[in-house]
Amino acid sequence: GVQALGPRGRLMCIGTLAGGSATLDLRRILTRRLTIRGTVLRSRTLEEKIAATEAFDRDVGPLLGAGTVRPVIDGVYQLEQAARAYDRLESGDTIGKLVLALGTGA
């Protein structure tokens, strides 16, 4: 959340998992001059989704490939553990993404 942002930091919210309400410290937002933006992909046109995918591939893909930027992974679960992974997700205690692995070696 906003607690992790430094001065002039930016928080981008893309969709929600835990509902549509949040409590924010407006003083922190104001004194640190933070920017908060939000969006969802679901309501975008096909053309907008294609453009967003291409921009991600162009701008973020190389950073992921080089290891400069790494996704935060909360946990890796085998497909047979999907119910357990869902319980973890539903708990609201996750930090990062949950990965469902197909096959072995994850």
Side-chain angles (χ1 to χ4, degrees):
V2 296
Q3 299 86 346
L5 297 175
R8 299 178 59 100
R10 292 171 286 188
L11 176 65
M12 186 69 185
C13 298
I14 303 173
T16 62
L17 290 176
S21 298
T23 301
L24 299 173
D25 183 347
L26 294 176
R27 290 171 299 212
R28 181 177 293 268
I29 294 168
L30 296 171
T31 58
R32 292 189 180 216
R33 298 175 309 224
L34 303 179
T35 301
I36 300 173
R37 294 189 67 185
T39 189
V40 293
L41 294 175
R42 188 176 310 233
S43 61
R44 292 185 179 206
T45 66
L46 179 59
E47 292 77 19
E48 288 176 304
K49 291 175 184 178
I50 291 169
T53 302
E54 289 173 346
F56 182 88
D57 189 44
R58 180 190 66 240
D59 299 336
V60 180
L63 299 173
L64 290 168
T68 305
V69 174
R70 294 185 318 228
V72 176
I73 305 295
D74 184 85
V76 178
Y77 297 84
Q78 293 299 316
L79 185 58
E80 298 78 25
Q81 299 172 306
R84 190 168 142 217
Y86 183 79
D87 289 342
R88 173 79 178 141
L89 183 63
E90 195 173 49
S91 76
D93 293 331
T94 58
I95 297 177
K97 299 298 181 184
L98 296 179
V99 176
L100 279 180
L102 303 175
T104 60

